[in-house]
Amino acid sequence: MGKKEINLFEEQLSLPGFAPSEREQKHLIKKIIEALLFASAEPLSLQKIREILETKISFKPKILRDALEDLQDEYIHQQRAFRLEETAEGYLLKTCEEYAPFIQQLFRNKRQEKVSQAQAEVLAIIAYKQPITKPGIDAIRGVDSSGTLQILLERELIQAMGRQEAPGRPTLYGITPHFLFHFGLKDMSELNLKG
Amino acid sequence: MDSLLLKTPQFQGPLELLCTLVQKEEIPICELEIHSLVLQIKELLSCLEQAAESIGFAGHLLLLKSRYLLPQDPLAVAEEPEGLNRTLMENLIEYCQFKEAARALANREEQARESYTRYKYPQGEIKKPLGIDHLSLSDLASIFEQILQKAAKGRTTIEKEEWQVADKIEWIQKQLETAKQTPFETLFPLTCSKLELIVIFLALLEMMKLGVIQVGKDAETKTILVILVYGKERN
């Protein structure tokens, strides 16, 4: 938005009697969300966006979702190189797949490692059975998972969620929000991978 | 990684599928020649990971078959072996489902890796502070004194309560759960009584001894930090 527009916006904020039309307001909110998304290093939840906006403006809650949907559509229609996606219980800008070969050049040697087959197995078990103890995981896999668990903990794909009220008080494991991001999942309900 | 493709008179395909079919009793175990299967597997094996898995599956098949072949103990309760068999099969089916889910996860990962974001990946390790060597006992003592002084100012009521180191350890762990590290002072709320402060301090020392936390100076700000030691959440 241009300099003039920002000034207009400032005026609107400072004049309590001035009520911008819903269309104008949505337009402004869209731009603010766009700026937030552009700058954010983590998925922004609807709640977070609302909190930030509410510090400066008052608006109908419905506008927020509308604005996000509009942005989502706009990026697609304008054929932008990125899109707005819901991932890990928040909104995030993601580059489109076709540019991956180029961005790969940019981030050479800095890419996240893929999970190994064993790690994927343990993650799948934890994701569906959480909270679950190490003996519980071992029983399903039939092999010892200590090493794999340790790596997954370090990668912050899983976390300790407390202890089971049983002899030895074994640690219970569950998945992290980072897990959702790593696998590009919107939320836990998207985990219907099991056949 | 491709699965091993096997050929038997009744079946042609990957070992996992064979295992599943046998469990579902779609292929009678009595007709399977485990010996020839094992020979085939041995020939086809190319990597270690594959080997471990195949041995697992072949082992299960062998177990099922031996169960079938061995005469049932007439004295044993009739239901028991059947029940055992069922849980074994259930386990196997469940495991196959998880393998499927793991494959699906790997696919999702593949997809997710095609898109880039500004998302900041966890660094895996918290930036290492200077460590306990840079702290002397007098340093710790002096902070504690400071806290006591601060606490002395804002006291109003006197309450009699019993504080236990174990409770405080739990409390500190909770405090560190999300932040992983925190400045020393934040663990000493000003509203605490002197006795409580002492117990918190003892709890910290105990946790250091157990290796659950580390205390160290931040390299830049020189503040004293309490850091949760990573991965020490074991039994």
Side-chain angles (χ1 to χ4, degrees):
Chain A
M1 84 186 139
K3 186 101 187 176
K4 214 172 112 198
E5 244 178 301
I6 298 172
N7 287 340
L8 180 71
F9 180 40
E10 292 276 325
E11 271 168 37
Q12 284 170 13
L13 292 179
S14 56
L15 292 171
F18 186 89
S21 76
E22 199 162 296
R23 207 175 59 85
E24 282 170 336
Q25 201 182 29
K26 192 160 97 179
H27 183 72
L28 283 170
I29 287 179
K30 237 163 62 183
K31 295 292 168 195
I32 298 167
I33 294 176
E34 188 171 44
L36 289 174
L37 289 168
F38 177 75
S40 175
E42 55 189 50
L44 281 176
S45 68
L46 203 63
Q47 181 60 26
K48 182 90 188 162
I49 298 174
R50 182 178 301 129
E51 277 170 22
I52 293 171
L53 284 170
E54 272 171 355
T55 58
K56 299 270 182 210
I57 12 176
S58 62
F59 53 91
K60 285 190 199 145
K62 196 179 148 288
I63 288 189
L64 211 56
R65 248 186 214 288
D66 282 357
L68 277 162
E69 270 167 30
D70 275 15
L71 268 183
Q72 229 155 9
D73 292 346
E74 255 173 48
Y75 294 154
I76 294 168
H77 283 133
Q78 296 171 1
Q79 298 188 324
R80 307 308 295 255
F82 52 84
R83 57 174 189 267
L84 174 55
E85 234 180 58
E86 232 183 311
T87 302
E89 292 169 345
Y91 291 88
L92 197 69
L93 294 180
K94 284 186 171 179
T95 63
C96 297
E97 283 80 2
E98 50 262 52
Y99 309 103
F102 300 98
I103 308 172
Q104 266 163 30
Q105 310 277 326
L106 187 65
F107 290 124
R108 232 184 267 170
N109 307 326
K110 280 192 231 159
R111 295 208 71 190
Q112 278 291 310
E113 260 177 73
K114 277 195 232 176
V115 295
S116 72
Q117 203 192 331
Q119 286 169 23
E121 247 176 70
V122 173
L123 278 175
I125 293 170
I126 294 177
Y128 287 109
K129 291 245 165 182
Q130 66 172 346
I132 185 172
T133 62
K134 187 178 99 60
I137 298 165
D138 290 351
I140 293 171
R141 293 188 68 218
V143 290
D144 181 73
S145 310
S146 338
T148 315
L149 279 175
Q150 199 55 41
I151 295 169
L152 293 176
L153 276 171
E154 270 163 34
R155 293 186 68 173
E156 291 187 29
L157 290 167
I158 60 166
Q159 62 191 355
M161 300 185 65
R163 285 163 186 277
Q164 197 175 43
E165 291 299 335
R169 308 243 300 141
T171 307
L172 290 163
Y173 296 101
I175 58 165
T176 59
H178 175 62
F179 168 93
L180 293 177
F181 175 83
H182 186 86
F183 292 101
L185 298 164
K186 198 162 118 186
D187 50 41
M188 278 306 287
S189 68
E190 245 204 317
L191 263 176
N192 294 323
L193 310 157
K194 199 144 105 178
Chain B
M1 186 187 72
D2 295 327
S3 299
L4 299 175
L5 291 175
L6 300 172
K7 269 185 204 167
T8 74
Q10 308 86 5
F11 172 84
Q12 198 169 351
L15 180 60
E16 290 154 63
L17 181 60
L18 177 62
C19 223
T20 318
L21 289 177
V22 169
Q23 285 152 37
K24 289 186 178 162
E25 290 178 14
E26 280 173 35
I27 295 177
I29 184 86
C30 52
E31 287 172 22
L32 268 184
E33 213 182 300
I34 306 271
H35 177 70
S36 79
L37 276 182
V38 171
L39 287 182
Q40 279 189 52
I41 292 168
K42 217 176 90 189
E43 222 166 90
L44 291 167
L45 280 186
S46 53
C47 73
L48 210 59
E49 200 170 344
Q50 223 174 10
E53 208 173 284
S54 313
I55 290 169
F57 279 115
H60 280 307
L61 281 177
L62 195 61
L63 181 67
L64 288 175
K65 177 134 188 178
S66 58
R67 237 187 223 136
Y68 171 81
L69 290 176
L70 283 173
Q72 306 254 325
D73 184 354
L75 289 177
V77 188
E79 284 163 32
E80 204 181 302
E82 204 182 301
L84 198 70
N85 202 17
R86 208 181 47 234
T87 54
L88 184 82
M89 294 220 284
E90 272 169 9
N91 276 354
L92 261 170
I93 291 168
E94 192 178 32
Y95 181 57
C96 283
Q97 283 174 336
F98 280 123
K99 281 192 79 69
E100 194 54 48
R103 249 190 301 268
L105 270 184
N107 286 341
R108 290 303 298 243
E109 184 184 40
E110 199 65 52
Q111 269 175 34
R113 284 166 65 86
E114 293 294 301
S115 295
Y116 288 79
T117 67
R118 299 196 164 211
Y119 184 77
K120 248 197 159 142
Y121 265 84
Q123 290 305 301
E125 221 175 317
I126 301 163
K127 224 174 30 180
K128 279 246 162 73
L130 291 173
I132 190 89
D133 300 344
H134 292 258
L135 267 178
S136 65
L137 192 63
S138 61
D139 277 340
L140 286 178
S142 76
I143 328 177
F144 190 61
E145 227 145 74
Q146 280 172 27
I147 292 162
L148 274 186
Q149 274 170 15
K150 270 193 218 161
K153 285 175 199 159
R155 196 100 36 81
T156 49
T157 50
I158 301 161
E159 8 171 355
K160 189 173 160 115
E161 250 183 290
E162 294 209 350
W163 304 104
Q164 288 190 339
V165 174
D167 293 340
K168 285 296 167 196
I169 287 181
E170 225 165 79
W171 177 78
I172 292 168
Q173 235 152 9
K174 223 181 216 152
Q175 299 294 307
L176 286 171
E177 220 160 60
T178 43
K180 309 280 185 234
Q181 63 176 42
T182 178
F184 200 81
E185 291 93 353
T186 57
L187 292 174
F188 293 90
L190 290 179
T191 49
C192 291
S193 69
K194 195 166 175 177
L195 190 65
E196 191 179 357
L197 292 176
I198 293 171
V199 175
I200 296 174
F201 196 67
L202 285 176
L204 276 175
L205 291 179
E206 181 69 17
M207 288 170 84
M208 280 159 74
K209 198 181 86 188
L210 292 172
V212 185
I213 56 164
Q214 270 180 357
V215 173
K217 258 188 204 168
D218 188 281
E220 285 150 29
T221 58
K222 298 277 186 279
T223 50
I224 296 180
L225 296 172
V226 176
I227 306 123
L228 191 68
V229 175
Y230 215 74
K232 274 279 151 69
E233 272 284 307
R234 279 189 216 134
N235 306 346

